[in-house]
Every structure is written in C-alpha cells, then in structure tokens.
Amino acid sequence: MLIDTYDRVATDLRVSLTDRCNLRCTYCMPEEGLQWLAKPDLLSDDEIVRLVRIAVTQLGINEVRFTGGEPLLRPGLVSIVEQCAALTPRPKMSLTTNGIGLKRTAAALKAAGLDRVNVSLDTLRPDVFKTLTRRDRHHDVLAGLEAARDAGLTPVKVNTVLMPGLNSDEAPDLLAWAVEHGYELRFIEQMPLDAQHGWKRDGMITAGDILSSLRTRFTLSAEGDGERGSAPAERWLVDGGPHRVGVIASVTRPFCRACDRTRLTADGQVRTCLFAREETDLRGALRSGAPDEEIARIWRLAMWGKKAGSGLDDPSFLQPDRPMSAIGG
C-alpha cells in the first residue's frame, strides 16, 4: 500500500513513457530549444513493465495511465500495454494523448488491453489549433478521436484548456460538438506547466468563467461529490443527462485532499505530485540489481513524505524547473 501521513492511499499510477512530443503547445513547452532526455536515461520497456508489476502486485495500484510527452511516440507502447494487461490483478489502463497517432494505433491498443483514452483538443478551429500547438494537425486529432471511439476505447474523454484571446469563447461550441459525437468533455484550468515560465494567474480562465459560459446555452446539474470520489473533475449533467461535462479546477478549487495518485517519470523517478519539487530515484535501484521488495520499500517511503497540497492555491507559487513533458499529466 502507498499511504502518506495524511491517510491518503495512492491507487492510481501515472507513467510517463517519453518526454518528447510532436506538438509544441504554447502552454506546455517552447517552440524549440528543449533539452530532451538521452535514450540511456529513459526507462526501457522491460523496466517500465517491471515497475508497473511491482506497483500492481505489491503496492495496491489498480489503475494505470500512460502519459508523455506524447506516449504514442513510444515504439514499444502496444507491447507495454499488452504485458501490463496480463498482470494479476489486472489494472484498469488508459492513455492520455494528443490524438495525432490514434487513427493508426487505436485498434491495436484496444486489442492489447487498453481500456480508454483521454485526448487533448482545445479548439474546433483549425487556425486556432495551429496557433496554440504550432502545428497544422487539427484534422489528425479529429480522425484519432473517431478511431478511438470506433475501436471501443470508451468513454473517450476530451481535455480542453481555454486561453484568453484564443479559444476563450469556444466552451459552448465545444460542449455541443462533444455531445453530438459522444465524447465526454473536460475543461482544465490552465496550470503552470510551460517550460518558458509564461503562466500568469491574473487573467487565467477559471472554472467559474467556464461554467458561466456553458450556462449561456446549457442547463447544468451538479453530479455530486458521491459520484466524483477521488476524480479531479467536478462533473455536471448536461440538460438533464445522460451526457456529462467536467471541469478540473486545479488552481481555484484544489482537490489535493482526495488525491490518490503516484507518478513515475520517463527517466524512472517517483513524483508524489505533478508539482512536487522532490523526486525519488527508482531507476538507479532497478539498474543496480535491487529486488522487487527493495524497490517497493523505496516507493512506499517516497509516498509517505507526500505533502498536503500542490501549492497551486498559493498566489506566490513558482513553476518547477523540470520540464513537465518528462513528468506526465
């Protein structure tokens, strides 16, 4: 079991498979100049599977989310999913992706044992997409979403970040589109994830702003805390249901008290929080020949020291120096 001093138990593991990405979203990374991890520093496929196995069989993890960077850039992704699906007990498995490679991989991922996907899409306008991501790939994301839905990687969740002056007026249109296509839309408050440290609290679009915009066209009914559990998204029924929309208010309504996550970076470090300043090395233990029991002990000790909150609710919060692409969302 991965328990901390605040009696929170981590059962959800986020695994970053790579720090690389084929987009350059303005709120995540600069257009150029990032120093990527060297290949020897990255965990191998076998090392990832071993750590997931330890987490599932010894530490109580029952849900695994593969992230990046862009996890579809990992050549061994399908094999990693297949091996993790063979574990006993079998964890629930999902993937967070920008969707660009999903058209060609969705069916194989489903066959390997992946349960569902989260796809990032911030706009319905190709020109705005190009401005936000610095790439002209909007059509590929839409095709990837359709492929995921057709392959049965459901519910297909769409993650959207609204940015002032770019897509801040799109919330109602995005929700109408998601309802029409059978996707579950989730708005995420912009967080300090950019390596260039351009995030500013002043002027950010808050959960309250998003809900006010949606209510100009839809009737929203709160789903309730009993349905939410430890999930980061507060969810609302749209026009009485069955469709839902979620809002992840990481900055204005922190949900740290219910956090059940532990994170593994692409280079084998345990992070207790997306915004943690400290990391605990598992890669070194793996490569020095440590047995599973020792790796589990190191992981437990790391999680025992998890802090009460992320610090995002502190107006003086400063962004971590480590690029978020290596840590995973």
Side-chain angles (χ1 to χ4, degrees), residues 162 168 171-172 187-190 201 203-218 220 234 236 245-254:
L162 296 180
S168 57
F187 292 96
I188 304 175
E189 285 184 338
Q190 185 192 1
R201 183 180 298 269
M204 65 168 284
I205 298 171
T206 67
D209 297 331
I210 294 165
L211 293 170
S212 294
S213 178
L214 293 176
R215 285 178 171 131
T216 63
R217 195 181 306 181
F218 302 94
L220 303 181
E234 296 180 75
W236 284 262
V245 63
V247 179
I248 299 177
S250 302
V251 178
T252 62
R253 303 178 190 175

Side-chain angles (χ1 to χ4, degrees), residues 7-320:
D7 291 327
R8 296 170 297 194
V9 178
T11 58
D12 185 336
L13 170 62
R14 304 298 169 99
V15 182
S16 175
L17 299 181
T18 179
D19 60 333
R20 296 175 184 268
C21 189
N22 42 12
L23 297 180
R24 294 293 181 272
C25 297
T26 56
Y27 53 78
C28 184
M29 62 176 67
E31 187 169 9
E32 56 187 21
L34 269 179
Q35 186 68 40
W36 304 115
L37 291 169
K39 188 173 181 179
D41 293 334
L42 291 170
L43 292 175
S44 69
D45 293 359
D46 288 343
E47 288 171 334
I48 289 169
V49 172
R50 183 183 174 195
L51 288 175
V52 172
R53 176 174 54 78
I54 292 170
V56 169
T57 61
Q58 297 195 32
L59 298 174
I61 292 298
N62 57 37
E63 186 165 350
V64 177
R65 173 86 61 85
F66 297 108
T67 70
E70 173 46 51
L72 294 181
L73 295 179
R74 179 89 186 200
L77 173 61
V78 172
S79 176
I80 290 171
V81 170
E82 187 172 34
Q83 293 180 72
C84 292
L87 295 172
T88 301
R90 182 199 186 280
K92 296 179 181 177
M93 290 186 297
S94 57
L95 180 82
T96 294
T97 172
N98 61 32
I100 288 176
L102 267 179
K103 184 176 180 180
R104 59 178 173 80
T105 57
L109 287 168
K110 179 65 177 178
L114 193 71
D115 295 304
R116 64 171 191 83
V117 294
N118 286 16
V119 179
S120 299
L121 180 65
D122 300 321
T123 179
L124 298 176
R125 306 167 184 164
D127 59 325
V128 176
F129 182 91
K130 187 175 181 179
T131 298
L132 279 168
T133 67
R134 305 184 178 103
R135 299 292 187 271
D136 188 14
R137 306 296 298 272
H138 189 259
H139 58 290
D140 292 317
V141 180
L142 295 182
L145 279 161
E146 292 179 9
R149 183 190 60 204
D150 294 345
L153 293 170
T154 56
V156 175
K157 296 183 179 181
V158 177
N159 293 340
T160 296
V161 177
L162 296 180
M163 304 280 287
L166 287 171
N167 61 342
S168 57
D169 61 333
E170 286 196 66
D173 290 339
L174 280 159
L175 181 53
W177 166 83
V179 167
E180 178 186 354
H181 290 85
Y183 306 137
E184 184 175 321
L185 182 63
R186 306 192 312 171
F187 292 96
I188 304 175
E189 285 184 338
Q190 185 192 1
M191 295 178 287
L193 302 179
D194 56 322
Q196 64 269 35
H197 292 185
W199 179 84
K200 291 182 175 60
R201 183 180 298 269
D202 294 340
M204 65 168 284
I205 298 171
T206 67
D209 297 331
I210 294 165
L211 293 170
S212 294
S213 178
L214 293 176
R215 285 178 171 131
T216 63
R217 195 181 306 181
F218 302 94
T219 300
L220 303 181
S221 307
E223 189 176 54
D225 290 339
E227 295 289 337
R228 181 181 182 183
S230 61
E234 296 180 75
R235 298 200 305 179
W236 284 262
L237 294 173
V238 179
D239 292 339
H243 299 288
R244 292 174 173 81
V245 63
V247 179
I248 299 177
S250 302
V251 178
T252 62
R253 303 178 190 175
F255 39 83
C256 300
R257 284 182 296 177
C259 181
D260 65 349
R261 297 178 183 178
T262 183
R263 297 176 181 275
L264 185 64
T265 69
D267 54 350
Q269 310 300 305
V270 170
R271 280 208 161 208
T272 59
C273 173
L274 183 61
F275 297 98
R277 308 268 179 170
E278 302 85 18
E279 298 176 334
T280 300
D281 181 31
L282 293 186
R283 184 188 65 197
L286 279 173
R287 295 181 180 179
S288 67
D292 290 357
E293 292 75 16
E294 174 62 12
I295 293 169
R297 185 194 68 81
I298 296 170
W299 206 329
R300 288 191 190 99
L301 186 61
M303 292 304 295
W304 181 251
K306 184 172 182 173
K307 295 182 179 179
S310 65
L312 279 176
D313 53 344
D314 182 351
S316 64
F317 179 85
L318 297 175
Q319 303 95 323

